[in-house]
Coordinates of all heavy atoms in Angstrom, one line a residue:
R1 N -4.2 -7.5 4.5 CA -4.3 -6.1 5.0 C -3.5 -5.2 4.1 O -4.0 -4.1 3.8 CB -3.8 -6.0 6.4 CG -3.8 -4.6 7.0 CD -3.6 -4.5 8.4 NE -4.8 -5.0 9.2 CZ -5.0 -4.9 10.5 NH1 -4.0 -4.3 11.2 NH2 -6.0 -5.3 11.1
A2 N -2.4 -5.7 3.6 CA -1.6 -4.9 2.7 C -2.4 -4.6 1.4 O -2.4 -3.4 0.9 CB -0.3 -5.6 2.3
D3 N -3.1 -5.6 0.9 CA -3.9 -5.4 -0.3 C -5.1 -4.5 0.0 O -5.4 -3.6 -0.9 CB -4.3 -6.7 -0.8 CG -5.0 -6.6 -2.2 OD1 -4.3 -6.2 -3.2 OD2 -6.2 -6.8 -2.3
D4 N -5.7 -4.6 1.1 CA -6.8 -3.8 1.4 C -6.4 -2.3 1.4 O -7.2 -1.4 0.9 CB -7.4 -4.1 2.8 CG -8.1 -5.5 2.8 OD1 -8.5 -6.0 1.7 OD2 -8.4 -6.0 3.9
I5 N -5.3 -2.0 2.0 CA -4.8 -0.6 2.0 C -4.4 -0.1 0.6 O -4.8 0.9 0.2 CB -3.6 -0.4 3.0 CG1 -4.1 -0.7 4.5 CG2 -3.0 0.9 2.8 CD1 -2.9 -0.6 5.5
A6 N -3.7 -1.0 -0.1 CA -3.2 -0.6 -1.4 C -4.4 -0.3 -2.4 O -4.2 0.5 -3.3 CB -2.3 -1.7 -2.0
R7 N -5.5 -0.9 -2.2 CA -6.6 -0.7 -3.1 C -7.1 0.8 -3.1 O -7.8 1.2 -4.0 CB -7.8 -1.6 -2.7 CG -7.5 -3.1 -3.2 CD -8.7 -4.0 -2.9 NE -8.4 -5.3 -3.5 CZ -8.6 -5.7 -4.7 NH1 -9.1 -4.8 -5.6 NH2 -8.2 -6.9 -5.2
A8 N -6.8 1.5 -2.0 CA -7.1 2.9 -2.0 C -6.3 3.7 -3.1 O -6.7 4.8 -3.5 CB -6.7 3.5 -0.7
F9 N -5.3 3.1 -3.6 CA -4.5 3.7 -4.7 C -4.8 3.2 -6.1 O -4.1 3.5 -7.0 CB -3.0 3.5 -4.4 CG -2.6 4.2 -3.1 CD1 -2.7 3.5 -1.9 CD2 -2.1 5.5 -3.1 CE1 -2.3 4.1 -0.7 CE2 -1.8 6.1 -1.9 CZ -1.8 5.4 -0.7
L10 N -5.8 2.4 -6.2 CA -6.3 2.0 -7.5 C -6.9 3.2 -8.3 O -7.9 3.7 -7.8 CB -7.3 0.8 -7.4 CG -6.7 -0.6 -7.2 CD1 -7.8 -1.6 -6.9 CD2 -5.9 -1.0 -8.4
P11 N -6.4 3.5 -9.4 CA -6.9 4.6 -10.2 C -8.1 4.2 -11.0 O -8.4 3.0 -11.1 CB -5.8 5.1 -11.0 CG -5.1 3.8 -11.3 CD -5.2 2.9 -10.1
R12 N -8.7 5.2 -11.6 CA -9.8 4.9 -12.5 C -9.4 4.7 -14.0 O -10.2 4.6 -14.9 CB -10.9 6.0 -12.4 CG -11.5 6.0 -11.0 CD -12.5 7.1 -10.9 NE -13.1 7.2 -9.6 CZ -14.0 8.1 -9.2 NH1 -14.4 9.1 -10.0 NH2 -14.4 8.1 -7.9
W13 N -8.1 4.7 -14.2 CA -7.5 4.5 -15.5 C -6.5 3.3 -15.4 O -6.4 2.7 -14.4 CB -6.9 5.8 -16.1 CG -5.9 6.4 -15.2 CD1 -4.6 6.2 -15.1 CD2 -6.2 7.4 -14.2 NE1 -4.0 7.0 -14.1 CE2 -4.9 7.7 -13.5 CE3 -7.4 8.0 -13.7 CZ2 -4.9 8.7 -12.5 CZ3 -7.3 9.0 -12.7 CH2 -6.0 9.3 -12.1
Y14 N -5.8 3.1 -16.4 CA -5.0 1.8 -16.5 C -3.7 1.8 -15.7 O -3.2 0.8 -15.4 CB -4.7 1.5 -18.0 CG -3.8 2.4 -18.6 CD1 -2.4 2.2 -18.7 CD2 -4.2 3.6 -19.3 CE1 -1.5 3.0 -19.3 CE2 -3.4 4.5 -19.9 CZ -2.0 4.2 -19.9 OH -1.1 5.0 -20.5
I15 N -3.2 3.0 -15.3 CA -1.9 3.0 -14.6 C -2.1 2.6 -13.2 O -2.9 3.3 -12.5 CB -1.3 4.4 -14.7 CG1 -1.0 4.8 -16.2 CG2 0.0 4.5 -13.9 CD1 -0.5 6.2 -16.4
R16 N -1.4 1.6 -12.7 CA -1.6 1.1 -11.4 C -0.3 1.0 -10.6 O -0.2 0.2 -9.7 CB -2.2 -0.4 -11.5 CG -3.6 -0.4 -12.1 CD -4.3 -1.7 -11.9 NE -5.7 -1.7 -12.3 CZ -6.6 -2.6 -12.0 NH1 -6.2 -3.6 -11.2 NH2 -7.8 -2.5 -12.3
Y17 N 0.6 1.9 -10.9 CA 1.9 1.9 -10.3 C 1.8 2.0 -8.8 O 2.4 1.3 -8.0 CB 2.8 2.9 -10.9 CG 4.2 2.9 -10.4 CD1 5.2 2.1 -11.0 CD2 4.6 3.6 -9.3 CE1 6.5 2.0 -10.5 CE2 5.9 3.6 -8.8 CZ 6.8 2.8 -9.4 OH 8.1 2.7 -8.9
D18 N 1.0 3.0 -8.3 CA 0.9 3.3 -6.9 C 0.3 2.1 -6.2 O 0.7 1.8 -5.0 CB 0.1 4.5 -6.6 CG 0.9 5.8 -7.0 OD1 2.1 5.7 -7.2 OD2 0.2 6.9 -7.0
Y19 N -0.6 1.5 -6.8 CA -1.3 0.3 -6.1 C -0.2 -0.8 -5.9 O -0.1 -1.4 -4.8 CB -2.4 -0.2 -7.0 CG -2.8 -1.6 -6.6 CD1 -3.5 -1.9 -5.5 CD2 -2.5 -2.7 -7.5 CE1 -3.9 -3.2 -5.1 CE2 -2.9 -4.0 -7.2 CZ -3.6 -4.2 -6.0 OH -4.0 -5.5 -5.7
Y20 N 0.5 -1.1 -7.0 CA 1.5 -2.2 -6.9 C 2.6 -1.8 -5.9 O 3.1 -2.7 -5.2 CB 2.0 -2.6 -8.3 CG 1.0 -3.3 -9.1 CD1 0.6 -2.8 -10.3 CD2 0.5 -4.6 -8.7 CE1 -0.4 -3.4 -11.1 CE2 -0.4 -5.2 -9.5 CZ -0.9 -4.7 -10.6 OH -1.8 -5.3 -11.4
Y21 N 3.0 -0.6 -6.0 CA 4.1 -0.1 -5.0 C 3.6 -0.3 -3.6 O 4.3 -0.8 -2.7 CB 4.5 1.3 -5.3 CG 5.3 1.9 -4.2 CD1 6.7 1.6 -4.1 CD2 4.7 2.7 -3.2 CE1 7.5 2.1 -3.1 CE2 5.5 3.1 -2.1 CZ 6.9 2.9 -2.1 OH 7.6 3.4 -1.0
A22 N 2.4 0.2 -3.3 CA 1.9 0.2 -1.9 C 1.7 -1.2 -1.5 O 2.1 -1.6 -0.3 CB 0.5 0.9 -1.9
R23 N 1.2 -2.1 -2.3 CA 1.0 -3.5 -1.9 C 2.3 -4.2 -1.6 O 2.4 -4.9 -0.6 CB 0.2 -4.3 -3.0 CG -0.3 -5.6 -2.5 CD -1.1 -6.3 -3.6 NE -0.2 -6.7 -4.7 CZ -0.7 -7.5 -5.8 NH1 -2.0 -7.8 -5.8 NH2 0.1 -7.8 -6.7
T24 N 3.3 -3.9 -2.4 CA 4.6 -4.6 -2.2 C 5.3 -4.0 -1.0 O 5.8 -4.7 -0.2 CB 5.5 -4.3 -3.5 OG1 4.8 -4.9 -4.6 CG2 6.9 -5.0 -3.3
K25 N 5.2 -2.7 -0.8 CA 5.9 -2.0 0.3 C 5.3 -2.5 1.6 O 6.0 -2.9 2.6 CB 5.8 -0.5 0.2 CG 6.4 0.3 1.3 CD 7.9 0.4 1.2 CE 8.4 1.4 2.2 NZ 9.9 1.3 2.2
L26 N 4.0 -2.5 1.7 CA 3.3 -2.8 2.9 C 3.4 -4.3 3.2 O 3.5 -4.7 4.4 CB 1.8 -2.5 2.8 CG 1.5 -1.0 2.8 CD1 0.0 -0.8 2.3 CD2 1.6 -0.4 4.1
G27 N 3.5 -5.1 2.2 CA 3.6 -6.6 2.4 C 5.0 -7.2 2.6 O 5.1 -8.3 2.9
T28 N 6.0 -6.3 2.4 CA 7.4 -6.8 2.5 C 8.2 -6.1 3.5 O 9.3 -6.6 4.0 CB 8.1 -6.8 1.2 OG1 8.2 -5.5 0.7 CG2 7.4 -7.7 0.1
D29 N 7.9 -4.8 3.9 CA 8.7 -4.0 4.7 C 8.1 -3.9 6.1 O 6.9 -3.6 6.3 CB 8.8 -2.6 4.1 CG 9.9 -1.7 4.8 OD1 10.3 -2.0 5.9 OD2 10.3 -0.7 4.1
P30 N 8.9 -4.2 7.2 CA 8.3 -4.2 8.5 C 8.2 -2.8 9.1 O 7.8 -2.6 10.2 CB 9.4 -5.0 9.3 CG 10.7 -4.8 8.6 CD 10.3 -4.7 7.1
L31 N 8.4 -1.8 8.2 CA 8.4 -0.4 8.7 C 7.1 0.0 9.4 O 7.1 0.5 10.5 CB 8.6 0.6 7.5 CG 8.4 2.1 7.7 CD1 9.4 2.6 8.8 CD2 8.5 2.8 6.4
Y32 N 6.0 -0.2 8.7 CA 4.7 0.3 9.2 C 4.3 -0.4 10.5 O 3.8 0.3 11.4 CB 3.7 0.3 8.1 CG 4.1 1.2 7.0 CD1 4.6 0.6 5.8 CD2 4.1 2.5 7.1 CE1 5.1 1.4 4.8 CE2 4.6 3.3 6.0 CZ 5.1 2.7 4.9 OH 5.6 3.5 3.9
P33 N 4.3 -1.7 10.6 CA 4.0 -2.4 11.9 C 5.0 -1.9 13.0 O 4.6 -1.7 14.1 CB 4.2 -3.8 11.6 CG 3.9 -4.0 10.1 CD 4.5 -2.7 9.5
G34 N 6.3 -1.7 12.6 CA 7.2 -1.2 13.6 C 6.9 0.2 14.1 O 7.1 0.4 15.3
V35 N 6.4 1.1 13.3 CA 6.1 2.4 13.7 C 4.7 2.4 14.5 O 4.6 3.0 15.5 CB 6.0 3.4 12.5 CG1 5.5 4.7 12.9 CG2 7.4 3.5 11.9
C36 N 3.8 1.6 14.0 CA 2.5 1.5 14.7 C 2.7 0.9 16.1 O 2.1 1.4 17.1 CB 1.6 0.5 14.0 SG 0.9 1.3 12.5
D37 N 3.6 0.0 16.3 CA 3.9 -0.6 17.6 C 4.4 0.6 18.6 O 4.0 0.6 19.7 CB 5.0 -1.6 17.6 CG 4.5 -2.9 17.0 OD1 3.3 -3.1 16.8 OD2 5.3 -3.8 16.6
V38 N 5.2 1.4 18.1 CA 5.8 2.5 18.9 C 4.7 3.5 19.3 O 4.7 4.0 20.4 CB 7.0 3.2 18.2 CG1 7.4 4.5 18.8 CG2 8.2 2.3 18.1
L39 N 3.9 3.9 18.3 CA 2.9 4.9 18.6 C 1.6 4.5 19.2 O 0.8 5.3 19.7 CB 2.5 5.6 17.2 CG 3.7 6.4 16.5 CD1 3.2 6.9 15.2 CD2 4.2 7.5 17.4
R40 N 1.4 3.2 19.3 CA 0.2 2.6 19.9 C 0.1 3.1 21.3 O 1.0 2.9 22.1 CB 0.2 1.1 19.8 CG -1.2 0.5 20.1 CD -1.2 -1.0 19.8 NE -0.9 -1.3 18.4 CZ 0.1 -2.0 18.0 NH1 1.0 -2.4 18.9 NH2 0.3 -2.3 16.7
G41 N -1.1 3.7 21.7 CA -1.3 4.1 23.1 C -1.0 5.6 23.2 O -1.3 6.2 24.2

């Protein structure tokens, strides 16, 4: 799921910093599931 979301940040040129940042952030930090849990409903 982290990779699926991060792919939205793949550019059409060679710089992929945002993609790798997003994939690492989403795949290692419990922030986003923790916030989704609170806001669900």
